[in-house]
């Protein structure tokens, strides 16, 4: 069992408390979820608050278990404060990308910590690109950088095809946040792990190219 820092425990507890409040109070849920129309009317708090709401306990548990397993991979090399910065920045990056791609869809709504958690995951991979990760139905370990690249390529596909009731753009935006902020905090990675820094940038550059050429929609 991982020995989490107090900061990570507080973040997980905040997600649990706010989510359960949303489960039992529909007005609260509707007031603080991500909604394009409401945000455009000036309710910017939703850009932050929506990251602590979840659709159900399964959604909540999945995000918190992922955070539980990867938080220390960011906290140990960068510290508690930088972990919080990466978490919050990734949450906001994810919602900003969602807002950008859905700016003309006032009805579009979303909730969940997935953007923030994906940012932490991508940060952890950037800090240790050869970490071993396991996926369901795959009995062999996958290098972290391979998983990270594959995950974002799938997110691009999910954005293009609008697969499932999943905020693929928020996941992708969160990863961008984790990537950028981690490099700003640890610029030495550009010298020690330049190859992996470049490889992990490929999906981000691909998204930009697809968008600019009109092939994303």
């Amino acid at each position: 069992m991982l020995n989490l820092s107090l900061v990570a425990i507080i973040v997980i507890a905040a997600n649990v408390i706010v989510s359960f409040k949303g489960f039992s109070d529909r007005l609260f849920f509707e007031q603080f979820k991500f909604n394009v129309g409401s945000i455009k009317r000036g309710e910017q708090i939703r850009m932050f608050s929506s990251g602590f709401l979840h659709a159900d306990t399964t959604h909540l548990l999945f995000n918190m278990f992922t955070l539980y397993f990867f938080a220390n991979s960011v906290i140990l090399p960068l510290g508690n404060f930088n972990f919080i910065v990466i978490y919050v920045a990734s949450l906001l990056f994810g919602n900003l990308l969602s807002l950008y791609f859905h700016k003309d869809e006032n009805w579009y709504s979303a909730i969940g910590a997935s953007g923030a958690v994906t940012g932490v995951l991508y940060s952890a991979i950037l800090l240790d690109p050869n970490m071993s990760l396991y996926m369901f139905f795959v009995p062999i370990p996958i290098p972290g950088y391979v998983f990270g690249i594959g995950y974002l390529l799938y997110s691009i596909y999910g954005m293009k095809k609008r697969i499932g009731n999943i905020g693929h753009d928020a996941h992708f935006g969160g990863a961008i946040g984790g990537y950028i902020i981690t490099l700003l905090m640890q610029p030495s990675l550009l010298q020690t792990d330049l190859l992996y820094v470049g490889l992990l940038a490929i999906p981000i550059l691909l998204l930009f190219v697809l968008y600019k050429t009109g092939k994303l929609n």
Side-chain angles (χ1 to χ4, degrees):
M1 187 172 181
L2 295 176
N3 185 21
L4 278 186
S5 74
L6 179 61
V7 168
I9 293 171
I10 289 172
V11 171
I12 291 173
N15 274 277
V16 171
I17 292 168
V18 175
S19 292
F20 272 86
K21 171 66 175 175
F23 295 157
S24 62
D25 187 340
R26 193 66 191 181
L27 182 61
F28 178 86
F29 183 90
E30 293 295 329
Q31 185 178 358
F32 291 107
K33 71 180 183 181
F34 178 95
N35 175 263
V36 172
S38 299
I39 292 168
K40 286 164 67 175
R41 288 193 296 271
E43 298 178 27
Q44 275 79 26
I45 185 62
R46 293 172 181 263
M47 295 286 288
F48 178 75
S49 61
S50 60
F52 293 86
L53 292 167
H54 289 81
D56 50 41
T57 52
T58 301
H59 186 205
L60 173 64
L61 286 173
F62 182 81
N63 277 334
M64 293 306 100
F65 271 121
T66 304
L67 184 60
Y68 169 79
F69 283 116
F70 290 99
N72 275 355
S73 297
V74 176
I75 292 170
L76 293 178
L78 297 182
N80 285 315
F81 178 77
N82 287 338
F83 166 76
I84 288 294
V85 171
I86 289 171
Y87 185 91
V88 173
S90 299
L91 190 165
L92 296 176
F93 264 80
N95 280 341
L96 281 170
L97 193 64
S98 287
L99 184 63
Y100 184 77
F101 281 126
H102 299 281
K103 58 182 177 295
D104 297 322
E105 304 169 24
N106 286 348
W107 51 268
Y108 183 84
S109 298
I111 34 84
S114 299
V117 172
T118 304
V120 170
L121 170 61
Y122 219 65
S123 173
I125 291 172
L126 188 58
L127 291 164
D128 184 10
N130 283 306
M131 67 166 57
S132 295
L133 299 178
Y134 289 86
M135 295 178 64
F136 293 115
F137 311 116
V138 180
I140 58 174
I142 300 171
Y145 73 95
V146 173
F147 176 86
I149 293 168
Y151 182 79
L152 289 197
L153 291 176
Y154 172 74
S155 294
I156 291 175
Y157 179 74
M159 291 163 66
K160 184 175 176 62
K161 299 296 184 179
R162 300 210 171 193
I163 297 174
N165 188 27
I166 300 172
H168 297 286
D169 35 30
H171 295 182
F172 202 102
I176 293 174
Y179 179 86
I180 292 174
I181 303 301
T182 301
L183 283 179
L184 290 175
M185 292 175 174
Q186 198 88 341
S188 60
L189 291 170
L190 293 168
Q191 295 178 323
T192 59
D193 291 300
L194 183 59
L195 174 61
Y196 294 119
V197 170
L199 288 173
L200 288 166
I202 289 174
I204 298 172
L205 295 174
L206 178 61
L207 179 72
F208 179 77
V209 170
L210 289 174
Y211 178 74
K212 282 297 184 180
T213 56
K215 294 180 180 178
L216 191 59
N217 298 318

